[in-house]
C-alpha cells in the first residue's frame, strides 16, 4: 500500500474567518486523505458543511463537548475508514479494508482541567485494551511530555508530565513529533 497523508489540527475555533482560510489553504496544499480537527467550537451542521467545502467525501462528527464544540474526522473515498467509537474527547476508527493491512486511528482531545487529566489517561488505557491493531493516536492531549515544549506562562509540574509519559509508555505509544 502507498503512503497516506493525514492532517490533525486543534483549530481553536472555526468562527474566525482567518482560521477557515488557513484551513482551506493547508488542505489544498497538503491534500490529506483524512483530517482530524479538535476544539472546533462548532456543531454538527457547520462541520458537515465544512466537509463539503473542503472536498472530503465522508465525515464523522462526534458528540458536542459544550464550548469546545465537536471533534470531526473527515476523509476521502480513497481511504476506507470505519468509526467504531466516539465521545466528546475522542474518535476511534479502523483504517483499511484487508485485515492484514488494517490499522487504527484515534483522534484525541484531552481534558484541559488539571483535575480531569486522569479521565483522559483512563480513556487512553481503555482504548489501548480494545484492539491489538497498529495504533496511531493524535490530537491535543492538553499535556506536555517535557518542560522544554512549554512556551511562556508558568512551567508544567513534572509529576503531571510524568503521568502522561507513563500512560503513553503503558499503551505502547511514542511521540512522532509534529510539523
Amino acid at each position: 500500500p502507498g503512503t497516506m497523508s493525514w492532517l490533525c489540527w486543534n483549530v481553536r475555533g472555526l468562527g474566525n474567518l482567518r482560521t477557515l482560510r488557513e484551513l482551506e489553504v493547508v488542505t489544498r496544499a497538503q491534500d490529506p486523505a483524512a483530517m482530524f480537527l479538535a476544539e472546533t467550537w462548532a456543531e454538527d451542521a457547520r462541520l458537515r458543511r465544512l466537509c463539503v467545502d473542503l472536498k472530503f467525501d465522508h465525515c464523522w462528527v462526534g458528540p458536542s463537548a459544550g464550548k469546545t464544540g465537536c471533534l470531526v474526522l473527515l476523509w476521502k473515498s480513497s481511504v476506507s475508514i470505519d468509526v467504531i467509537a466516539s465521545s466528546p474527547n475522542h474518535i476511534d476508527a479502523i483504517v483499511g479494508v484487508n485485515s492484514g493491512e488494517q490499522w487504527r486511528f484515534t483522534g484525541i482531545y484531552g481534558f484541559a482541567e488539571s483535575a480531569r487529566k486522569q479521565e483522559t489517561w483512563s480513556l487512553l488505557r481503555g482504548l489501548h485494551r480494545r484492539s491489538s491493531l497498529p495504533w496511531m493516536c493524535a490530537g491535543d492531549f492538553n499535556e506536555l511530555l517535557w518542560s522544554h515544549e512549554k512556551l511562556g506562562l508558568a512551567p508544567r509540574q513534572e509529576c503531571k508530565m510524568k503521568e502522561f509519559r507513563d500512560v503513553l509508555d503503558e499503551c505502547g505509544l511514542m511521540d512522532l513529533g509534529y510539523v
Side-chain angles (χ1 to χ4, degrees):
T3 60
M4 180 186 318
S5 173
W6 283 60
L7 179 66
C8 299
W9 192 355
N10 178 338
V11 290
R12 297 218 167 154
L14 292 170
N16 182 331
L17 204 53
R18 208 170 102 210
T19 302
L20 277 172
R21 281 197 195 110
E22 185 66 19
L23 187 58
E24 288 171 359
V25 166
V26 169
T27 303
R28 229 181 352 264
Q30 299 299 319
D31 191 30
M35 180 163 59
F36 170 75
L37 301 176
E39 210 172 339
T40 61
W41 301 354
E43 297 303 317
D44 191 284
R46 183 141 188 240
L47 294 169
R48 291 187 187 285
R49 275 194 315 276
L50 182 70
C51 177
V52 173
D53 293 347
L54 295 177
K55 297 179 176 31
F56 284 93
D57 303 305
H58 310 279
C59 79
W60 180 276
V61 179
S64 178
K67 173 182 155 320
T68 59
C70 301
L71 302 177
V72 64
L73 180 62
L74 312 167
W75 68 96
K76 297 188 175 162
S77 290
S78 61
V79 59
S80 171
I81 293 181
D82 182 24
V83 174
I84 54 176
S86 70
S87 77
N89 296 90
H90 84 291
I91 297 176
D92 195 26
I94 304 294
V95 181
V97 179
N98 302 329
S99 61
E101 296 173 359
Q102 286 182 325
W103 57 282
R104 185 170 167 214
F105 171 81
T106 304
I108 290 281
Y109 181 70
F111 287 101
E113 307 87 357
S114 207
R116 299 190 76 184
K117 296 285 183 201
Q118 286 305 320
E119 292 177 57
T120 303
W121 309 153
S122 293
L123 173 63
L124 283 172
R125 286 182 179 105
L127 289 165
H128 171 64
R129 286 191 292 270
R130 286 186 194 167
S131 173
S132 60
L133 287 174
W135 188 24
M136 181 173 79
C137 196
D140 186 349
F141 296 88
N142 270 309
E143 188 54 84
L144 303 173
L145 288 171
W146 307 101
S147 56
H148 70 266
E149 297 173 336
K150 177 90 170 117
L151 298 175
L153 301 175
R156 290 294 300 148
Q157 293 177 339
E158 177 56 35
C159 63
K160 296 288 182 194
M161 293 183 291
K162 185 178 181 329
E163 287 174 7
F164 183 31
R165 291 192 301 266
D166 289 348
V167 170
L168 294 186
D169 235 17
E170 193 179 315
C171 295
L173 296 168
M174 67 179 94
D175 184 9
L176 297 177
Y178 68 94
V179 176

